[in-house]
Amino acid sequence: MDIKDIISQFRFEGELKSVKEFGSGHINSTYIADFGEKRYVIQKINTSVFKKPDELMTNVFSVTRFLKNLIIENGGEPERETLKFIRTGEGKEYLKTTDGECYRAYIFVDNSICHNSADTPEMFKKSGAAFGRFQSQLGDFPADTLFETIPHFHDTPWRYHNEFEPAVMSDKCGRAKNCKNEIAFVKEREGKLYRITDALDIGDIPLRVTHNDTKLNNILFDENTGESLAVIDLDTVMPGSALYDFGDSIRFGASTAAEDEKDLSKVEINLDYFKAYADGYLSEAGNSLTDKEKELLAYSAWLITLECGMRFLTDYLNGDVYFKTDYPEHNLIRARNQLKLVSDMENKMNEMKKIIKSI
Ligand code: ADP
Ligand code: GN1
Ligand code: MG
């Protein structure tokens, strides 16, 4: 179905002037529709990744409703500080077309900007504070009302045994020969994947409502003031560990290079950025974290980076069926990049732990 036909089925104000594709996400497809007075974001939900769009949309509507009330209580601006979803003409939370495609829509926050990399440690510190605040804001959210949109999302051991190993074993695209070293690298670290899931299992660390996809580009910043405005991309808000959120932010934002940089000599963990993020995050979420969580912060950055590298490698082996790719080796490049970052974190692990202690 044509995107303009999709747009005509939502309750937007005014007349459509233009629509264009937008953003650099790996899963959904995002469009910006310009209605003159207002702009809207329309997203096609990737239903092979999010298999139950009803549950997904129930989650995002209830999380944004909860945040809206909190923002109003604090005298803020709910339409700028969280997402405001728009219902379809029929009053539904999302649109399902006759051929089964699913679309949802929300208000584009004017004068906002997303960053794929942080220009300064200060900017990255603000993103840490934003994700820390987001987690504290959802501290009283009734976690048992949330659906698990992607089961086992950051269950690294589960991903290792149920996705990575089978992909290596079946090698259905004959690509394993191209990545023997990368496969071996992941396998050598299998024994070290269990610290967070084990701690959750025995109640050593708490299950919290977390974001689970805390890339820097999932925060809107105010273009004029440079302050953080809103945490977006709420599809994976689920019960999880605070460590997943901390780790994923470091993986993406404290690297000296983009996630798909080919020149591995450019890929390192920047400890100034690591410190800046930890400062920001702990200033907002620190009081609620347990000692055990704090002890595992540096490890979580290592684990989530390894997990992400393993996921890219798995997708490469499976023939690029999960993440969007721009060229045939894209997932392999991403995997190598993430594994290089893992190696660098291993070299700097003592310093990373020292930084956390000093805060
Ligand atoms: P994906 O799942 O593809 O990462 P996101 O929800 O993160 O999708 O949106 C992709 C990009 O679209 C964001 O990084 C941001 O640049 C832009 N964007 C999304 N929502 C808004 C919004 N409400 N206002 C302004 N820009 C937005
Ligand atoms: C995907 O959709 P996006 O680009 O924000 C992925 C994350 C990965 C990330 C790697 C639902 O996030 O888990 O960490 O790519 N999201 C999903 O860049 O799998
Ligand atoms: Mg995103």
Side-chain angles (χ1 to χ4, degrees), residues 122 281 337:
E122 288 69 39
Y281 179 78
N337 174 306

Side-chain angles (χ1 to χ4, degrees), residues 114-120 123 216-217 252-253 255 273:
C114 277
H115 301 286
N116 278 314
S117 63
D119 299 340
T120 58
M123 180 194 275
L216 179 63
N217 61 16
F252 189 80
S255 173
Y273 275 60

Side-chain angles (χ1 to χ4, degrees), residues 195 246 274-275 278-279 282 291 293-299 349-359:
R195 290 182 70 186
F246 181 84
F274 178 80
K275 177 169 188 321
D279 265 334
L282 290 171
D291 288 345
E293 283 173 312
K294 289 178 193 161
E295 186 192 314
L296 290 172
L297 284 170
Y299 165 81
M349 187 48 72
N350 284 339
E351 284 164 89
M352 287 162 67
K353 285 185 183 157
K354 265 191 215 150
I355 289 171
I356 299 289
K357 277 222 172 96
S358 75
I359 303 170

Side-chain angles (χ1 to χ4, degrees), residues 5-226:
D5 293 329
I6 302 291
I7 290 172
S8 70
Q9 298 190 49
F10 281 91
R11 291 180 183 169
F12 297 139
E13 290 167 28
E15 202 178 306
L16 178 66
K17 298 229 156 48
S18 65
V19 55
K20 61 174 195 302
E21 209 165 342
F22 193 75
S24 55
H26 298 344
I27 308 293
N28 297 320
S29 302
T30 305
Y31 302 86
I32 306 289
D34 187 354
F35 278 73
E37 289 272 287
K38 271 197 172 157
R39 282 185 285 172
Y40 297 94
V41 180
I42 296 99
Q43 270 179 339
K44 182 175 167 191
I45 304 169
N46 181 332
T47 47
S48 55
V49 169
F50 296 106
K51 296 195 166 53
K52 295 181 181 164
D54 278 324
E55 296 187 356
L56 170 75
M57 292 309 293
T58 302
N59 275 5
V60 291
F61 266 79
S62 58
V63 168
T64 51
R65 196 177 311 122
F66 182 91
L67 291 174
K68 177 182 162 189
N69 290 334
L70 214 60
I71 293 163
I72 293 173
E73 266 172 41
N74 293 323
E77 287 183 88
E79 291 201 1
R80 288 181 73 68
E81 294 174 35
T82 189
L83 296 178
K84 175 160 173 53
F85 284 85
I86 309 285
R87 288 179 184 262
T88 67
E90 294 180 341
K92 303 235 166 72
E93 290 172 343
Y94 72 98
L95 176 75
K96 190 164 188 172
T97 66
T98 43
D99 36 12
E101 293 182 338
C102 298
Y103 293 83
R104 38 92 185 285
Y106 45 94
I107 293 178
F108 183 93
V109 178
D110 278 322
N111 303 313
S112 71
I113 185 165
C114 277
H115 301 286
N116 278 314
S117 63
D119 299 340
T120 58
E122 288 69 39
M123 180 194 275
F124 197 42
K125 180 175 175 180
K126 284 178 187 167
S127 78
F131 281 125
R133 196 176 319 123
F134 180 83
Q135 195 201 287
S136 338
Q137 284 175 325
L138 292 178
D140 290 329
F141 185 91
D144 53 347
T145 63
L146 280 176
F147 293 104
E148 207 179 357
T149 48
I150 303 182
H152 303 288
F153 193 60
H154 282 305
D155 182 341
T156 319
W158 187 90
R159 284 194 183 270
Y160 180 93
H161 294 292
N162 296 280
E163 294 181 344
F164 171 69
E165 275 191 326
V168 175
M169 292 281 275
S170 64
D171 189 20
K172 55 175 116 146
C173 300
R175 288 175 161 186
K177 61 180 182 309
N178 306 335
C179 49
K180 286 190 191 136
N181 293 342
E182 290 76 12
I183 293 171
F185 184 98
V186 174
K187 285 190 170 172
E188 278 157 24
R189 285 154 181 80
E190 185 269 333
K192 295 184 179 152
L193 305 181
Y194 299 84
R195 290 182 70 186
I196 296 179
T197 41
D198 281 357
L200 282 169
D201 283 350
I202 60 172
D204 226 6
I205 57 172
L207 199 64
R208 302 175 186 276
V209 175
T210 48
H211 184 280
N212 297 303
D213 188 6
T214 48
K215 300 206 281 200
L216 179 63
N217 61 16
N218 285 332
I219 293 183
L220 295 180
F221 285 87
D222 187 313
E223 215 170 7
N224 299 320
T225 65

Side-chain angles (χ1 to χ4, degrees), residues 220-236:
L220 295 180
F221 285 87
D222 187 313
E223 215 170 7
N224 299 320
T225 65
E227 295 301 320
S228 67
L229 272 176
V231 169
I232 62 168
D233 209 344
L234 306 174
D235 297 341
T236 50

Side-chain angles (χ1 to χ4, degrees), residues 185 189 302 341-350:
F185 184 98
R189 285 154 181 80
W302 174 89
L341 194 56
V342 168
S343 282
D344 196 50
M345 286 185 192
E346 289 173 357
N347 295 333
K348 296 176 181 160
M349 187 48 72
N350 284 339

